[in-house]
Amino acid sequence: MGTVTTKDGTEIFYKDWGTGQPIVFSHGWPLSADDWDTQMLFFLNHGYRVIAHDRRGHGRSTQTSDGHDMDHYADDLAALTAHLDLRDAVHVGHSTGGGEVVHYIARHGESRVQKAAIMSAVPPLMVQTEANPGGLPKSVFDDLQAQLAANRSEFYRALPSGPFYGFNRPGVQASEAIIENWWRQGMMGGAKAHYDGIVAFSQTDFTGDLKKITVPVLVMHGDDDQIVPYADSAPLSADLLQNGTLKTYPGFPHGMPTTHADTINADLLTFLQS
């Protein structure tokens, strides 16, 4: 574990375990590198070097007031990969982290990247516009910001208790431990970063980024995702990528790397070894 300091003085916390080909994990909003614990242990035991960082304003990284946008997220990731001098890396991003991975590769090039995988990811564009009529209305994201500003702790209990992991679906047994761990990670981070981050993940258009990427990308998404609706995300991203493969999971929720870790890890390992 260590930190890397970016050009604007932000300290980015990261974990770096093992040796072998590096896999770099980018977490979702408003979580931290800890959200990848299951994946990191799995791939560490399969001989990979596993790295995960806390996005600026999240987890143990600096709670800076500025820079909570995809350009800074991508540049921070580039600073980390340069600091560790990573080569032939596989980048894996969940949700907002999927957008971070896509923007990083498009913005900083593929010289250090071998493959990528994005899970339940926000590209191409979440918010509804004239060009993206299938997106979610901006009022949805305005409401998320309002709930965060009113009572972040309550909001961070309600989201994992319901739609994030599909615990609001009939017959699904909720896990109090998973809910508590989501709340713990969220409350470690800064309210300002999380408030601004809602705009970053919902209003950034990744269409141009996806078109630039030539390395193989596995697009993994559950068709019962209540956070990033399937139809306006994964199939569109896979079509825009030059070398994209779509893997659809019937009934899986947004937080599928946690709730269905065995399936996700096995499929990701197959992709890495292919």
Side-chain angles (χ1 to χ4, degrees):
M1 293 185 282
T3 60
V4 56
T5 302
T6 66
K7 290 178 181 178
D8 67 356
T10 301
E11 284 195 349
I12 301 296
F13 170 92
Y14 67 89
K15 311 175 191 187
D16 181 5
W17 304 339
T19 57
Q21 184 181 15
I23 308 175
V24 185
F25 295 94
S26 292
H27 65 78
W29 174 98
L31 303 172
S32 74
D34 294 354
D35 203 43
W36 290 111
D37 283 353
T38 305
Q39 282 71 37
M40 290 184 71
L41 290 172
F42 176 87
F43 286 100
L44 179 67
N45 289 331
H46 280 81
Y48 290 90
R49 177 183 178 185
V50 292
I51 298 149
H53 65 292
D54 291 352
R55 188 169 298 120
R56 63 169 55 216
H58 296 60
R60 290 139 293 204
S61 292
T62 304
Q63 288 197 18
T64 176
S65 66
D66 300 314
H68 307 297
D69 54 71
M70 281 294 163
D71 284 353
H72 280 85
Y73 296 167
D75 293 351
D76 293 348
L77 181 53
L80 174 64
T81 59
H83 174 70
L84 298 176
D85 193 26
L86 302 181
R87 306 286 176 179
D88 296 319
V90 178
H91 282 267
V92 179
H94 175 245
S95 193
T96 298
E100 177 179 286
V101 166
V102 165
H103 199 52
Y104 158 73
I105 296 173
R107 185 173 168 88
H108 291 276
E110 300 177 345
S111 62
R112 296 181 179 273
V113 181
Q114 186 188 81
K115 293 181 178 179
I118 57 174
M119 306 175 180
S120 314
V122 297
L125 174 62
M126 282 199 73
V127 74
Q128 186 180 66
T129 64
E130 286 188 14
N132 186 43
L136 296 170
K138 185 175 178 293
S139 59
V140 171
F141 305 106
D142 293 342
D143 181 59
L144 295 180
Q145 286 186 310
Q147 291 184 68
L148 189 155
N151 192 322
R152 188 164 66 122
S153 184
E154 280 191 1
F155 180 41
Y156 286 3
R157 282 283 304 180
L159 202 57
S161 299
F164 197 93
Y165 294 112
F167 291 154
N168 56 342
R169 292 307 199 204
V172 176
Q173 182 67 43
S175 165
E176 188 63 27
I178 289 175
I179 295 166
E180 291 279 0
N181 191 40
W182 200 101
W183 180 90
R184 175 191 68 85
Q185 291 180 71
M187 294 305 292
M188 283 169 65
K192 177 65 161 58
H194 295 168
Y195 187 89
D196 292 352
I198 293 170
V199 173
F201 75 65
S202 66
Q203 295 186 26
T204 302
D205 188 343
F206 299 94
T207 302
D209 292 336
L210 291 162
K211 290 178 179 178
K212 288 180 183 177
I213 297 173
T214 66
V215 297
V217 181
L218 181 62
V219 182
M220 312 167 78
H221 215 110
D223 69 3
D224 193 35
D225 192 321
Q226 301 173 68
I227 305 297
V228 182
Y230 173 84
D232 198 52
S233 53
L236 304 183
S237 289
D239 285 345
L240 289 164
L241 288 160
Q242 297 183 42
N243 196 0
T245 302
L246 176 62
K247 181 78 174 178
T248 304
Y249 297 89
F252 280 24
H254 186 68
M256 64 183 190
T258 297
T259 58
H260 296 78
D262 289 350
T263 299
I264 297 303
N265 292 351
D267 287 350
L268 191 55
L269 180 63
T270 298
F271 172 66
L272 264 60
Q273 294 176 340
S274 64

